[in-house]
Amino acid sequence: MEKIPRLTLIGAGPGDPELITYKAVKALQTADAVLYDALVHPDILQFAPASAELVYVGKRPWQQGKGGCEFAQSDINHLIVQYAHSHGHVVRLKGGDPFIFGRGFEELVFAQDCGVETAVVPGLSSSYAVPALAGIPLTCRGVSESFWVLTGTTKDHQLSNDIAVAVQSSATLVVLMGMKHLPEIVGLLAKAGRADEPVAVIQNGSRPDEQVALATADQIVKTVLDRKLSNPAIIVIGAVVALHPDWVAYNHIARLTDAPVLTNSR
């Protein structure tokens, strides 16, 4: 029986394999091919049938300090369609939620334009799941009434202009893909009079090797360098960071090193 070409676009969540949804697992169990990203935990692939072809299509840089990636987006688009026609049911497995800075919509539309049936299974976004798991609420009564989720890097590899606007707000800011531009982000905070704003950088959120760096804006770059933190990481900016259980410990260290101290807002 000839298989109908179809695509299920799945969000795998922030990293911990137990955070994938039940609906996503059910879709994986019927996959004929799985195209998965670099941030997808390998344990999630075990939900696919043994007969399914597993295809890595990660975009992590393959040359240190250069912009090249292992797979270009256009190549991935064509691979989805290719496997849909050759195998049948393709599961496209992406970290976080595919519609939040995941280029999922681009892949969906390309597949539809090529006559492939499509479906979407949302996933937990690292933008809110990772801070929550680390003990940072993005909103809290009396502390923060809203939050912004921003990309730190545009498709042209530049700092997003939206961040200059966002730092004028009292909202909690969550910056994805912003580690490369962390010094510029800190500079915008200082320019807005927020050099003492609490900042958290969370690397490998939800995974066993998660690391959290806490500091005021004018100290966070040094802290990140000292801790040797890098991508994958998210940046959380705002008074809610001071609700993290370790903020008191950070303040104690700050007093010993003459770094700025911020009172816990709780």
Side-chain angles (χ1 to χ4, degrees), residues 166-212:
V167 296
Q168 305 297 324
S169 168
S170 61
T172 304
L173 308 183
V174 181
V175 184
L176 308 183
M177 300 172 290
M179 290 295 284
K180 174 183 175 182
H181 297 290
L182 183 59
E184 295 171 74
I185 295 169
V186 166
L188 290 171
L189 286 165
K191 188 176 180 180
R194 299 175 64 183
D196 61 350
E197 194 76 8
V199 179
V201 172
I202 309 171
Q203 177 182 289
N204 294 322
S206 83
R207 293 177 179 255
D209 56 348
E210 173 182 296
Q211 292 194 66
V212 181

Side-chain angles (χ1 to χ4, degrees), residues 32-135:
D32 297 306
V34 180
L35 277 61
Y36 63 99
D37 280 350
L39 295 179
V40 172
H41 197 288
D43 286 358
I44 292 176
L45 300 175
Q46 297 177 13
F47 292 118
S51 59
E53 185 167 352
L54 306 180
V55 184
Y56 173 77
V57 290
K59 293 197 192 74
R60 283 184 174 174
W62 55 267
Q63 286 183 301
Q64 186 67 31
K66 297 188 178 182
C69 289
E70 292 174 88
F71 287 89
Q73 185 61 53
S74 60
D75 294 335
I76 295 172
N77 293 347
H78 284 93
L79 280 173
I80 289 171
V81 174
Q82 175 186 320
Y83 276 94
H85 284 290
S86 63
H87 287 61
H89 182 204
V90 173
V91 165
R92 176 69 173 105
L93 197 56
K94 303 174 74 71
D97 181 276
F99 280 7
I100 299 181
F101 303 126
R103 302 184 185 180
F105 188 69
E106 298 174 37
E107 297 175 1
L108 195 77
V109 170
F110 187 89
Q112 291 171 344
D113 289 345
C114 294
V116 176
E117 292 185 6
T118 61
V120 179
V121 180
L124 285 175
S125 171
S126 62
S127 62
Y128 55 80
V130 165
L133 291 166

